Amino acid sequence: MPRLVMKFGGTSVADLERIKNAASKVRREVENGFDVIVIVSAMSGKTNELVGWVNQTSPMFDAREYDAIVSSGENVTAGLLALSLQEMGIPARSWQGWQVPLMTTSAHGAARIEEIPTDNLDAKFSEGMQVAVVAGFQGIADDGRITTLGRGGSDTTAVAFAAAFAATRCDIYTDVDGVYTTDPRIEDKARKLDKISYEEMLELASLGAKVLQTRSVELAMRFKVRLRVLSSFEDQTDNSGTLVCDEEEIMENKIVSGVAYSKDEAKMTLVSVADRPGIAAAIFSPLAAAGVNVDMIVQNISEDGRTDMTFSCPTDHVAKAEAAMEAAKASGEINFHGLIADRDVCKVSVVGIGMRSHAGVAAQMFEALSAEGVNIKVITTSEIKVSVLVDRKYMELAVQALHDTFGLETAA
Ligand code: ADP
Ligand code: ASP
Ligand code: MG
């Protein structure tokens, strides 16, 4: 039997009615002749609630217990979906990560999948099981402890299963009917894309478009998984949703294909550091050692041998960054007059493979922002993206202005 992976996100399994709706979509694929592996998220809001309980109980929590707790939401939906399918007369069984077993690294809270043995599920499929409902987001490390794959990790579970079981497709059912030129919740004029390349989807995801977890797109690209994003609330046709695929399969080739934003950014400035050889290493080595995920970096021009160094990092890394810099100052490795953390910023980015061969995108982006009176604080570019840090209050305005200036509302 050909295999299909279907993944239902939190809003798609938010209550018993929606779980039944998901079950009927699975039934249709069983009727189409597939053995189906379904990956489920926790009911929407559940994981946030569990994370909140962890923080209230223990602010400096033990990461192994965090995973034991936050992985539990998926267990409930896996069991309920298996029961709903059984009620429809379909032989279905739930699987928690450890039962498969989905083996991961022991990086609790952000574990990486190492291996998915197929023999257990294969044996059950050959005994007549038609649907395996697998709890997403969770796995098990070598030492037998439960792990989780980072927020949004069920997408990655789904793609990894699709690769391991050589599935025909991996369908990601969510609360929007595909990947849009930008988040349709903040730009009414956002346009659904029929197809998007792995490279562009990877950039959009890593720059904040949470419709797919970044790691899931990396895996899909590496294992050439046919990945489709579609709505669990609408009826599908074969061409529904958005296919994430190789660049060669795409006809539409705009220079810019999407705009992403991330609110989870902070800007840190070290005021007046000595401008000498080795200063960047002296600052960024301790930050790296402390696990601070530094993204953008700017060094200002120096005056009298001193300069300001600015960098961005996720808001929840600010405390670690401050501690690392104060420690480096105390040990005499660096010296600075002040450390300013600005949490009221956001990152807005434009993405497109057309940028590889087309100059002027950055200039057009800056002009559009300037026309709206939006001040740019930090800039970074790569081959297929330009990102800027701006005040958080301008986020929607900036996204909309960029969507307009690059003509994303209409197809190429
Ligand atoms: P799920 O719970 O199904 O995993 P998520 O909330 O993680 O769903 O992801 C879907 C959300 O991603 C949408 O509701 C939408 O607001 C957001 N999103 C951000 N950028 C985009 C984009 N470019 N296209 C579609 N959705 C996007
Ligand atoms: N339930 C987890 C989360 O909210 C994983 C997921 O939904 O993908 O992050
Ligand atoms: Mg998600």
Side-chain angles (χ1 to χ4, degrees):
M1 285 282 204
R3 301 274 164 79
L4 186 70
V5 171
M6 305 170 76
K7 179 253 170 179
F8 292 91
T11 38
S12 308
V13 290
D15 55 37
L16 298 184
E17 208 45 52
R18 290 194 180 168
I19 290 177
K20 231 186 253 172
N21 170 60
S24 59
K25 292 199 181 298
V26 175
R27 175 174 57 189
R28 211 192 39 208
E29 298 295 3
V30 169
E31 288 164 0
N32 285 340
F34 285 107
D35 276 348
V36 183
I37 300 173
V38 189
I39 310 297
V40 286
S41 288
M43 291 176 172
S44 69
K46 192 69 208 171
T47 310
N48 285 345
E49 181 182 48
L50 295 168
V51 170
W53 289 349
V54 170
N55 284 315
Q56 283 168 45
T57 306
S58 169
M60 298 295 284
F61 54 78
D62 176 322
R64 284 162 293 195
E65 300 312 331
Y66 169 94
D67 278 350
I69 296 158
V70 305
S71 61
S72 65
E74 272 71 9
N75 298 343
V76 176
T77 41
L80 287 171
L81 182 56
L83 280 183
S84 294
L85 287 160
Q86 288 176 5
E87 284 296 309
M88 294 176 173
I90 298 169
R93 184 60 66 209
S94 71
W95 296 78
Q96 296 183 6
W98 65 271
Q99 293 172 304
V100 174
L102 184 147
M103 302 302 304
T104 74
T105 61
S106 58
H108 287 277
R112 286 192 158 229
I113 298 174
E114 292 196 314
E115 204 198 338
I116 304 181
T118 54
D119 37 340
N120 275 345
L121 261 58
D122 276 341
K124 294 292 174 192
F125 276 126
S126 54
E127 285 167 22
M129 174 180 75
Q130 286 184 304
V131 181
V133 187
V134 179
F137 177 54
Q138 52 173 265
I140 182 169
D142 272 348
D143 63 359
R145 302 298 314 178
I146 303 298
T147 54
T148 62
L149 308 177
R151 298 305 305 271
S154 296
D155 296 328
T156 300
T157 310
V159 175
F161 269 88
F165 285 85
T168 309
R169 249 185 6 254
C170 179
D171 285 345
I172 305 284
Y173 285 85
T174 182
D175 57 2
V176 281
D177 61 350
V179 178
Y180 279 69
T181 47
T182 193
D183 188 346
R185 297 193 199 289
I186 74 162
E187 169 59 287
D188 295 341
K189 292 185 261 173
R191 178 171 52 92
K192 185 175 83 74
L193 299 165
D194 292 333
K195 293 180 176 177
I196 185 166
S197 67
Y198 293 120
E199 286 88 346
E200 286 167 315
M201 191 62 240
L202 189 58
E203 285 285 356
L204 286 175
S206 71
L207 294 168
K210 67 171 185 161
V211 60
L212 288 173
Q213 198 198 33
T214 309
R215 181 85 183 122
S216 73
V217 188
E218 269 171 28
L219 285 182
M221 185 155 118
R222 186 159 131 219
F223 294 103
K224 295 270 176 264
V225 171
R226 280 185 94 71
L227 182 61
R228 194 162 68 135
V229 176
L230 64 178
S231 164
S232 63
F233 304 123
E234 285 169 21
D235 266 339
Q236 275 74 46
T237 63
D238 284 348
N239 296 320
S240 296
T242 301
L243 185 70
V244 187
C245 59
D246 269 329
E247 190 176 328
E248 290 74 39
E249 286 189 54
I250 298 173
M251 300 304 286
E252 175 177 343
N253 254 332
K254 287 215 167 207
I255 295 160
V256 167
S257 49
V259 180
Y261 64 87
S262 159
K263 291 186 215 170
D264 170 40
E265 306 285 328
K267 172 169 150 281
M268 313 271 300
T269 303
L270 284 162
V271 182
S272 188
V273 291
D275 190 10
R276 58 166 171 83
I279 187 66
I283 292 171
F284 294 104
S285 302
L287 288 172
V292 177
N293 203 342
V294 172
D295 179 17
M296 307 159 127
I297 299 175
V298 207
Q299 181 178 344
N300 291 36
I301 51 167
S302 71
E303 239 177 83
D304 304 325
R306 302 196 74 82
T307 183
D308 292 349
M309 188 77 88
T310 296
F311 61 89
S312 71
C313 66
T315 28
D316 57 357
H317 288 194
V318 167
K320 279 195 281 192
E322 284 173 338
M325 291 296 89
E326 292 301 343
K329 186 178 184 183
S331 71
E333 284 162 53
I334 53 173
N335 191 357
F336 52 85
H337 291 170
L339 178 55
I340 304 167
D342 180 356
R343 291 178 171 85
D344 288 323
V345 292
C346 68
K347 182 167 67 178
V348 179
S349 312
V350 298
V351 170
I353 34 184
M355 280 185 219
R356 281 188 198 134
S357 53
H358 197 94
V361 170
Q364 192 179 343
M365 178 178 189
F366 305 153
E367 272 161 28
L369 294 173
S370 123
E372 297 293 340
V374 177
N375 189 30
I376 299 170
K377 302 187 154 193
V378 186
I379 301 167
T380 49
T381 65
S382 78
E383 206 188 13
I384 65 163
K385 68 123 204 250
V386 184
S387 299
V388 295
L389 218 56
V390 300
D391 279 332
R392 175 99 37 97
K393 64 182 180 212
Y394 294 130
M395 192 186 81
E396 299 193 2
L397 178 64
V399 169
Q400 289 159 1
L402 296 173
H403 198 267
D404 263 355
T405 197
F406 291 106
L408 298 184
E409 191 182 342
T410 51

